[in-house]
């Protein structure tokens, strides 16, 4: 949705695209394409999607097409209209939280944890379902159990652990390069946590090394993203995607 962000995570894996931003009208064209393909869910991410003032309208546009919007957010700037739009179309939030306490501020490099907790409380009160994404860097696996307990305590329906990959800003940081045994350890711990916490929460591992991910970038191009930027595959440029949507809408 955007490359703008109000945090500065050192392991940010967003690709180094330009600062282009799709308009609301262009988003609706994309919605038409996705609806024609019977897509049921779309994840709205960035950057940080809550930096867009038209986020409630974007959420509504996808929801009215029968596509459930899931807003992936660092969670400390969620305005009331965003909650309202999500509730109206049965959308969801996915909080990117990487530490179960105030030291999460050290990851985001901005003072924010009390506001994140307040927005989780608001989501519970408004009955907007939410889950948690937690990036796991090498040496962080011992925090996973505490993170899972935090997710249960906050009422999240799911927690996904994401072993960091060398993409975006993380690519230039050798300390974020996992070896194979380290990734295997994260996956094994996810299996154990999923079994232990099955009555309370869903526990998953999102390992980009194992799956291709289809992504529409902030500049409107459609890609298959993989664990390294150089392995990504361009499917179509924005003008091709817009033309496809134009034919569908006629």
């Amino acid at each position: 949705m955007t490359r703008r962000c109000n945090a500065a995570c050192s392991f940010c894996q967003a690709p180094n695209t330009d600062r282009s931003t799709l308009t609301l009208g262009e988003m609706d064209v994309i919605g038409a394409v996705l609806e024609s393909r019977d897509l049921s869910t779309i994840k709205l991410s960035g950057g940080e999607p809550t930096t867009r003032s038209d986020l409630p309208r974007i959420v509504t546009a996808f929801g009215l097409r029968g596509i459930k919007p899931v807003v992936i957010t660092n969670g400390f700037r969620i305005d009331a209209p965003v909650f309202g739009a999500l509730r109206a179309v049965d959308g969801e939030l996915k909080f990117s939280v990487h530490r179960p306490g105030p030291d999460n501020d050290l990851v985001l490099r901005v003072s924010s944890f009390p506001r994140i907790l307040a927005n989780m409380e608001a989501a519970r009160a408004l009955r907007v379902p939410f889950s948690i994404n937690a990036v796991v860097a090498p040496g962080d696996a011992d925090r996973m159990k505490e993170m899972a307990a935090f997710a249960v305590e906050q009422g999240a329906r799911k927690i996904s652990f994401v072993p960091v990959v060398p993409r975006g800003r993380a690519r230039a940081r050798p300390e974020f390069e996992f070896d194979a045994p380290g990734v295997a350890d994260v996956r094994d711990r996810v299996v154990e946590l999923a079994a232990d916490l099955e009555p309370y929460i869903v526990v998953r591992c999102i390992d980009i090394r194992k799956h291709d991910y289809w992504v529409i970038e902030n500049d409107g191009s459609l890609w298959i993203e993989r664990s390294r930027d150089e392995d990504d595959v361009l499917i179509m440029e924005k003008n091709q995607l817009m033309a496809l949507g134009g034919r569908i809408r006629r």
Side-chain angles (χ1 to χ4, degrees):
M1 287 184 59
T2 179
R3 278 289 158 261
R4 287 177 294 165
C5 191
N6 48 13
C9 302
S10 57
F11 51 62
C12 180
Q13 293 159 74
N16 297 313
T17 56
D18 62 27
R19 295 286 176 170
S20 301
T21 301
L22 293 165
T23 66
L24 179 61
E26 289 168 337
M27 289 279 196
D28 192 55
V29 172
I30 290 170
V33 174
L34 301 181
E35 182 183 17
S36 75
R37 300 300 193 268
D38 295 323
L39 193 82
S40 61
T41 302
I42 186 167
K43 293 181 172 65
L44 304 174
S45 63
E48 171 54 41
T50 61
T51 63
R52 288 194 58 151
S53 61
D54 59 354
L55 178 59
R57 296 173 68 191
I58 294 169
V59 165
T60 300
F62 283 112
L64 291 177
R65 290 188 176 277
I67 302 171
K68 181 171 77 173
V70 179
V71 175
I72 301 177
T73 173
N74 54 40
F76 63 83
R77 181 188 163 184
I78 308 175
D79 296 330
V82 175
F83 281 115
L86 287 167
R87 185 176 183 184
V89 298
D90 295 324
E92 296 187 14
L93 288 164
K94 180 168 280 192
F95 288 84
S96 293
V97 179
H98 316 290
R99 301 285 186 274
D103 57 343
N104 189 67
D105 292 355
L106 302 177
V107 179
L108 272 58
R109 293 193 276 193
V110 60
S111 179
S112 56
F113 194 69
R115 285 177 283 168
I116 294 169
L117 292 181
N119 282 324
M120 288 184 175
E121 181 178 3
R124 291 193 301 271
L126 293 168
R127 298 184 180 178
V128 174
F130 68 90
S131 56
I132 291 175
N133 269 357
V135 170
V136 183
D140 282 349
D142 287 344
R143 292 192 176 100
M144 292 171 61
K145 185 174 183 179
E146 189 178 2
M147 271 302 308
F150 168 79
V152 172
E153 178 185 349
Q154 293 302 316
R157 69 172 190 83
K158 178 172 68 175
I159 182 168
S160 300
F161 291 101
V162 187
V164 70
V165 293
R167 295 184 56 89
R169 190 180 294 148
R171 183 178 182 178
R173 304 286 293 271
E175 65 267 31
F176 294 133
E177 185 75 46
F178 259 114
D179 58 20
V183 176
D185 180 45
V186 172
R187 292 198 206 102
D188 290 344
R189 291 178 190 239
V190 166
V191 171
E192 293 174 7
L193 288 168
D196 292 344
L197 298 175
E198 183 178 6
Y200 311 107
I201 194 171
V202 175
V203 183
R204 292 285 184 265
C205 180
I206 299 176
D207 187 1
I208 303 175
R209 298 163 185 81
K210 293 290 186 181
H211 301 282
D212 291 343
Y213 286 85
W214 290 72
V215 176
I216 298 174
E217 292 293 355
N218 57 293
D219 62 5
S221 55
L222 174 63
W223 292 79
I224 293 175
E225 286 192 355
R226 293 172 174 155
S227 60
R228 294 181 182 272
D229 297 316
E230 59 267 28
D231 295 330
D232 293 352
V233 178
L234 175 64
I235 303 302
M236 64 176 66
E237 298 282 6
K238 173 185 174 180
N239 61 334
Q240 297 171 291
L241 186 58
M242 292 297 112
L244 177 60
R247 290 195 296 271
I248 290 168
R249 296 174 83 185
R250 281 200 292 268

